[in-house]
Amino acid sequence: MFLDLLRQRRSIRKFTGDAITSEQLQQLQEAILRAPSSRGLDPWQFIFVTDPEVITALSKAKPNGAAFLEQAKLAVVICADPERSDVWVEDCAIAAFCLQLQVSDSGLASCWAQIRCRQHEDGQSSEEYVRQLVKLPSTMRVDSIIGIGVGDEEKSGHDCELLKWSRIHDQSYSEE
Ligand SMILES: Cc1cc2nc3c(=O)[nH]c(=O)nc-3n(C[C@H](O)[C@H](O)[C@H](O)COP(=O)(O)O)c2cc1C
């Protein structure tokens, strides 16, 4: 059941050194390409990085929250051409989460590293830093990087009773 996948899913930032199989890689690539996009414009591009040196460099894209990428076997840079769609951010986010759900279903683990709106250490934006590393043209925007590998951390899914049920509103937000 799909809900079971969501019940177990967590962000994992520690990975073993084990390899991702070619079958798993194929599943990840198919899943991300099946993401829906506004008007079917598919403005995104996905850079699958497995070179450890480039992955290490990507882990330095921002001072906090990207270091976990260094241990990942695969880093998927999610980017888009904003000229192709005014809602490229939403399209990228949906693609990223499709990928993360397939990661879980394939028995792997992942975590999102936010790149858009973040700064690299020396005043350069994280987007600009990543753009240079993966040779993107300056017109392309970078949304995020998903770090993927075999998980080396056990986390239980969020307790159903502890979900923010109060965020669900019946018919309207305010009762007045
Ligand atoms: C849009 C978005 C941006 C995120 N950015 C980062 C990030 O830069 N670094 C990081 O370690 N985790 C990042 N995360 C993971 C969140 O911290 C994580 O999903 C949240 O704490 C809930 O934990 P869970 O995924 O295990 O349920 C991001 C998640 C989302 C959805």
Side-chain angles (χ1 to χ4, degrees):
M1 190 163 80
F2 178 68
L3 199 48
D4 288 333
L5 193 64
L6 288 175
R7 283 175 177 147
Q8 287 154 24
R9 181 220 60 81
R10 292 298 307 273
S11 295
I12 299 293
R13 299 177 180 83
K14 290 185 183 144
F15 307 101
T16 69
D18 295 345
I20 293 172
T21 67
S22 52
E23 188 192 359
Q24 286 169 325
L25 185 63
Q26 180 68 28
Q27 290 169 343
L28 301 184
Q29 293 185 347
E30 179 177 343
I32 203 165
L33 291 173
R34 287 190 182 281
S37 69
S38 173
R39 292 189 282 153
L41 291 173
D42 303 346
W44 22 244
Q45 303 281 341
F46 310 113
I47 322 294
F48 279 62
V49 180
T50 52
D51 180 334
E53 280 185 24
V54 181
I55 290 180
T56 297
L58 289 172
S59 75
K60 299 181 171 125
K62 57 180 185 174
N64 298 302
F68 73 86
L69 287 172
E70 184 160 21
Q71 284 183 28
K73 276 282 163 190
L74 168 66
V76 181
V77 178
I78 299 190
C79 47
D81 180 354
E83 291 294 313
R84 289 185 67 126
S85 175
D86 57 345
V87 290
W88 64 272
V89 177
E90 289 86 340
D91 291 341
C92 282
I94 288 169
F97 197 54
C98 277
L99 174 66
Q100 288 198 280
L101 289 174
Q102 184 58 51
V103 161
S104 300
D105 200 44
S106 296
L108 296 167
S110 73
C111 187
W112 180 308
Q114 180 68 26
I115 298 301
R116 190 180 67 87
C117 300
R118 297 292 177 264
Q119 284 294 119
H120 179 61
E121 283 163 327
D122 53 8
Q124 186 187 32
S125 74
S126 300
E127 279 197 68
E128 187 53 35
Y129 174 83
V130 172
R131 239 185 241 124
Q132 285 173 9
L133 282 176
V134 296
K135 303 187 176 81
L136 285 169
S138 58
T139 49
M140 294 280 287
R141 299 292 308 269
V142 183
D143 182 71
S144 52
I145 303 173
I146 307 299
I148 301 167
V150 174
D152 196 16
E153 188 179 14
E154 286 296 324
K155 281 188 187 175
S156 3
H158 297 292
D159 198 328
C160 196
E161 284 76 46
L162 298 180
L163 296 179
K164 297 182 178 73
W165 295 98
S166 66
R167 301 285 175 89
I168 309 279
H169 306 275
D170 188 18
Q171 314 305 333
S172 63
Y173 181 73
S174 164
E175 284 178 17
E176 288 166 28

